[in-house]
Amino acid sequence: DQQVKQNSPSLSVQEGRISILNCDYTNSMFDYFLWYKKYPAEGPTFLISISSIKDKNEDGRFTVFLNKSAKHLSLHIVPSQPGDSAVYFCALGGSSNTGKLIFGQGTTLQVKP
Amino acid sequence: DGGITQSPKYLFRKEGQNVTLSCEQNLNHDAMYWYRQDPGQGLRLIYYSQIVNDFQKGDIAEGYSVSREKKESFPLTVTSAQKNPTAFYLCASSSLSGTDPYFGPGTRLTVL
């Protein structure tokens, strides 16, 4: 029974447009929500996070939205760039288990020039 | 430069052999983690440690063992009891109050 789901295995977007990656979860006990970016054969790198007390966090071209009532997390990238092409994982954690995360399956983003 | 070292990048072993994956960090982090990634799946937690000489099982600990004798090091042994050991193994670390673990480059283990 997966607690975290990224229902879109892949997404293709034109350069300059918005990329929207989605993540749904089932457990209301998560306290913080993260997005990681991963290139093949490399470790994930942290991108952006949001705590459960907020509904939006912005960092440059990246914005994370949290809808707690819908148990839905999304990452917006605008404008998208070819260098953004990678696998994006959402990850969820609880305050009682700092650093211990539950990951989604990942969404492969391709940004076409 | 601070970071996490995992070696080797690629590792091949025969079925039935135990193999140990190394993980070293110089970030002065107290907590360390081992995750496993399989194709089409997210990362799954194998073991984690928040202090030297103490560690806890994650979601998929069966067939694995760890030790934490030093703060900087958290080696993972994949034993012959692990039924599907071929995977990409990622080590991570964080401060005890940190919420975004820092990941190493990973080791791809292939069991032949």
Side-chain angles (χ1 to χ4, degrees):
Chain A
D1 183 27
Q2 286 191 303
Q3 297 187 63
V4 183
K5 289 185 179 180
Q6 293 179 252
N7 291 316
S8 297
S10 63
L11 175 67
S12 183
V13 172
Q14 205 68 33
E15 181 179 7
R17 298 292 187 106
I18 185 171
S19 295
I20 300 176
L21 296 99
N22 295 302
C23 179
D24 295 298
Y25 59 97
T26 56
N27 190 331
S28 299
M29 295 179 67
F30 292 115
D31 290 318
Y32 54 96
F33 307 81
L34 306 86
W35 284 96
Y36 278 84
K37 176 180 179 180
K38 185 181 182 299
Y39 294 113
E42 294 184 11
T45 55
F46 171 73
L47 201 55
I48 191 169
S49 66
I50 188 169
S51 73
S52 60
I53 62 173
K54 295 186 176 182
D55 54 19
K56 177 183 176 180
N57 187 28
E58 192 171 352
D59 183 2
R61 297 185 297 113
F62 303 92
T63 303
V64 55
F65 294 93
L66 177 63
N67 183 333
K68 289 186 289 294
S69 61
K71 296 187 180 67
H72 181 78
L73 181 73
S74 64
L75 174 68
H76 293 207
I77 305 173
V78 55
S80 301
Q81 299 174 354
D84 295 329
S85 298
V87 180
Y88 290 79
F89 291 97
C90 63
L92 282 59
S95 61
S96 61
N97 291 295
T98 302
K100 182 183 170 187
L101 302 174
I102 307 293
F103 282 81
Q105 304 93 315
T107 296
T108 300
L109 173 65
Q110 182 185 24
V111 180
K112 297 180 179 179
Chain B
D1 284 340
I4 297 179
T5 301
Q6 290 187 247
S7 61
K9 182 71 173 175
Y10 300 95
L11 191 56
F12 296 87
R13 280 293 183 270
K14 291 183 178 179
E15 191 173 349
Q17 290 182 334
N18 292 356
V19 59
T20 298
L21 283 60
S22 74
C23 176
E24 303 279 334
Q25 56 100 358
N26 60 3
L27 299 164
N28 199 32
H29 284 163
D30 288 298
M32 296 187 73
Y33 314 84
W34 274 104
Y35 285 88
R36 166 182 172 144
Q37 186 191 11
D38 294 283
Q41 295 192 40
L43 283 66
R44 292 180 291 168
L45 183 66
I46 304 172
Y47 266 99
Y48 65 103
S49 168
Q50 294 181 306
I51 194 170
V52 173
N53 292 323
D54 189 41
F55 46 83
Q56 286 78 42
K57 293 181 179 180
D59 300 317
I60 54 166
E62 186 176 350
Y64 299 97
S65 65
V66 293
S67 62
R68 187 86 186 276
E69 297 177 1
K70 298 186 300 181
K71 184 177 180 178
E72 303 79 15
S73 179
F74 192 40
L76 173 75
T77 297
V78 185
T79 74
S80 57
Q82 168 49 232
K83 295 179 181 178
N84 296 297
T86 294
F88 190 50
Y89 290 88
L90 289 153
C91 178
S93 69
S94 71
S95 63
L96 287 179
S97 59
T99 56
D100 54 310
Y102 182 90
F103 281 85
T107 292
R108 179 161 298 280
L109 172 65
T110 302
V111 176
L112 306 172

